[in-house]
Amino acid sequence: MKIAVCVKQVVTREWPLRVDDARTWVQDRDASFEMNEPDAYALEEALRLKEQHGGEVVVCSAGPPRVAQVIREALARGADRAIRVESNALATADSGMVAEALAAAIRDEAFDLVLTGLQSDDQGFAQTGVVLAELLGISHATIIMEVQVVEGGLRVKRELEGGWFQWVSMPSPALLTIQSGINQLRYATLRGIMAAKKKEVRVVEPPADLAPHHEILELYVPEKAKQTRLIEGSPVEAATELVRVLREEARVI
Amino acid sequence: MILVIAEQRDGVLHRASWEPILAAQQTGQPVQVAVAGVSLASVAGELAAAEVEAVLTIEHPALESYTPDGFVAVFADVVTGTQPDLVFLPHTYQTREFAPKLAVRLGRSLITDCIAVKQRDNRLAFVRPMFQGKFVADVAPTGPAPHFASFQIGAFRPDAVTRGATAADIRAVDITLEAAVIRQTMEPPFKEAKQAVDLTQAERIVAVGRGIKAQEHIALVETLAAALGAEVAASRPICDSGWLPMDRQVGSSGQTVSPKLYLALGISGAIQHLVGMKGSATIVAINKDAEAPIFEVADFGIVGDLFEVVPALVAALNAEGGGSSGAGHP
């Protein structure tokens, strides 16, 4: 089975986010970056499917040159080769633009299966994968928690709301968006890191006519829904005061 | 005109459908509501109570169960036929699956997870969370109408929908649907058998997030829960890591709770978690990051290291356990 996994590079969770001077993005020039978490689960699922059924795992990412970092990491974890779409304009691009860039880069490869995470930790539009499926003209299913390879296609467990699930079958080729928690992630081994250096990375440019589908007018800190009463002091003082407040004012304990 | 795509399953309307209807009504534009499936009379009747121009029913045997291909095909025809300026949907799991494909098939884009609509510099802008809820953004669609937007569940109050003086027109839409375009076969929805814990009945909940750092620290949370007489719950990443079972998960993919006390330990408050607990009567957040979104919904907060605060809380609760709380007043 020939599998593509699309991963996004996002600012790490630990990085203290600040709005930039233009007030349309965050200050990320000196930030540290990591693989978007749901995409890491998608990569792991691709590696497991290859181990069970054979084939090839190709990791794909679209963004500025720095996304080479998540490509290297994916290759170190076991992906066989990579396709990187390089453009600074993709750093803050909307999901439609990213999907168009990825579609152009992978269309000719005719993958049997394309995996993405269900959404990104930065913009969180939750639609790059679905749009990509439409651009590639293939079937898809979203928020997947289990993948079975069956005769002629796939049977996948789709998460619904509130603890419900549903099995869905479809022919290949297909695209799945993977939910976090579908598997347990592996770490790169030293051997994997060394091997990654010899693997093929094809760098391509995005289509020239790529244009945004919407515009971020302003990014800002949300208004608070509630006035939070912050309890100050040492840990012991704060804890004692919190217990008093919950007992005597909120009367919930 | 704004076209709202409502959601139903087996003749039961998804309650979240009222929220894009309200969002549409608040813009002051005429509203039509479309719903697809089979045997839609009862759902259509319910929707027709809202003050809208019309309820459009799209019935076809191949729509008995939802499929992304079937829904994209019929709604592409309906949107083309009705020519709305805007298309609104509830941001349900089903919408996330078919709506991006629908918008792209029509050469349009979708702005997801919106919490408000506003006018800004004579442009329509949609307000939506970004960066896990740390920020929100005003996002304006570009290009020609119709523009698509989905609305976060809980962003609007379903009971605030304006009712019509008389029931709206219900119109059956003629569609053609080739069953062959549907590539997916759906099996009936099910729940995992081992849903042992019903958090919705708990009066007090202590919930833990990534801030707990390691599985061995879960015991600390259980000690605090015991001292409070509370159930232990968790945000999704904790259950994904296997540190607590999936049935302890609160949030959009887990349980929705509204206890008297919800104490969030080391939970940043991503929107997927907030939707599952923001209805709690009293919310307490303990987090080292003063800017964590959890503080947007918290009544009381301690900014600090949970590994210092939680043992102190346990000590304070156990010390007061002797019934001395009333005796301290002068």
Side-chain angles (χ1 to χ4, degrees), chain B:
Chain B
M1 185 270 287
I2 301 179
L3 182 70
V4 176
I5 297 179
E7 182 171 325
Q8 64 90 33
R9 190 165 87 199
D10 298 333
V12 179
L13 185 69
H14 195 310
R15 230 178 103 72
S17 302
W18 295 113
E19 302 190 34
I21 293 175
L22 177 57
Q25 286 178 335
Q26 287 178 350
T27 65
Q29 295 194 46
V31 182
Q32 297 186 9
V33 184
V35 61
V38 294
S39 309
L40 295 173
S42 148
V43 167
E46 201 180 335
L47 289 166
E51 189 170 67
V52 295
E53 276 187 348
V55 174
L56 311 178
T57 58
I58 303 138
E59 298 205 30
H60 192 286
L63 299 174
E64 178 166 6
S65 78
Y66 153 81
T67 57
D69 282 345
F71 271 49
V72 169
V74 296
F75 282 116
D77 282 352
V78 170
V79 172
T80 305
T82 54
Q83 299 199 313
D85 302 299
L86 294 160
V87 180
F88 285 4
L89 306 99
H91 191 56
T92 58
Y93 278 29
Q94 184 167 303
T95 290
R96 291 186 215 192
E97 186 164 77
F98 80 88
K101 212 167 198 175
L102 169 65
V104 173
R105 187 156 302 177
L106 296 169
R108 299 294 185 273
S109 75
L110 162 71
I111 300 176
T112 53
D113 207 15
C114 303
I115 54 175
V117 187
K118 61 163 132 172
Q119 286 289 332
R120 201 183 149 127
D121 311 327
N122 288 321
R123 292 175 76 176
L124 188 70
F126 295 92
V127 185
R128 67 182 301 279
M130 299 269 276
F131 295 92
Q132 304 271 303
K134 273 218 154 192
F135 303 113
V136 290
D138 293 348
V139 181
T142 53
H147 300 121
F148 289 70
S150 70
F151 288 85
Q152 185 181 106
I153 301 176
F156 291 81
R157 290 169 49 98
D159 54 10
V161 165
T162 310
R163 306 270 141 179
T166 55
D169 266 357
I170 298 174
R171 300 176 201 155
V173 181
D174 265 338
I175 49 121
T176 52
L177 175 61
E178 293 289 333
V181 306
I182 300 176
R183 291 167 289 191
Q184 303 87 11
T185 310
M186 320 298 273
E187 296 175 36
F190 64 96
K191 269 201 163 178
E192 300 281 62
K194 58 166 188 59
Q195 191 79 18
V197 191
D198 185 3
L199 295 174
T200 63
Q201 299 303 312
E203 290 211 333
R204 287 176 286 272
I205 290 176
V206 174
V208 58
R210 285 181 200 270
I212 200 70
K213 291 199 173 83
Q215 184 164 20
E216 66 252 36
H217 300 142
I218 296 288
L220 183 64
V221 180
E222 288 168 338
T223 308
L224 176 60
L228 283 167
E231 285 284 355
V232 173
S235 65
R236 174 143 198 142
I238 299 303
C239 301
D240 283 348
S241 304
W243 297 353
L244 280 170
M246 278 289 179
D247 58 4
R248 296 270 171 189
Q249 187 201 145
V250 167
S252 56
S253 54
Q255 301 190 50
T256 299
V257 300
S258 48
K260 286 199 306 192
L261 171 65
Y262 192 92
L263 203 161
L265 298 174
I267 291 179
S268 67
I271 192 64
Q272 297 90 329
H273 185 74
L274 297 188
V275 296
M277 48 65 76
K278 66 184 180 187
S280 306
T282 297
I283 298 172
V284 179
I286 300 174
N287 202 300
K288 66 175 165 45
D289 179 5
E291 293 170 13
I294 190 74
F295 287 113
E296 284 159 35
V297 299
D299 300 283
F300 303 103
I302 296 177
V303 177
D305 182 350
L306 73 90
F307 296 105
E308 291 175 3
V309 175
V310 172
L313 264 179
V314 172
L317 285 162
N318 289 340
E320 293 209 9
S324 60
S325 58
H329 294 293

Side-chain angles (χ1 to χ4, degrees), chain A residues 74-183:
Chain A
L75 293 173
R77 288 193 199 181
D80 298 293
R81 60 184 171 92
I83 300 171
R84 182 159 71 78
V85 188
E86 185 176 302
S87 162
N88 285 323
L90 289 169
T92 60
D94 60 59
S95 38
M97 272 177 88
V98 173
E100 284 161 17
L102 290 169
I106 72 174
R107 179 172 286 120
D108 292 343
E109 295 246 13
F111 287 101
D112 302 307
L113 179 62
V114 182
L115 301 182
T116 72
L118 84 158
Q119 63 186 28
S120 63
D121 286 345
D122 52 8
Q123 301 202 53
F125 278 101
Q127 55 178 334
T128 303
V130 183
V131 173
L132 180 56
E134 175 69 6
L135 297 175
L136 295 174
I138 61 178
S139 178
H140 80 291
T142 54
I143 320 188
I144 297 306
M145 281 298 279
E146 193 175 333
V147 182
Q148 297 175 352
V149 177
V150 296
E151 185 69 34
L154 301 162
R155 181 169 178 262
V156 299
K157 187 170 144 193
R158 171 179 174 241
E159 187 178 294
L160 308 177
E161 282 135 351
W164 289 81
F165 297 92
Q166 178 177 41
W167 286 96
V168 184
S169 300
M170 71 194 77
S172 19
L175 182 144
L176 305 174
T177 78
I178 299 296
Q179 169 67 293
S180 293
I182 183 175
N183 48 42

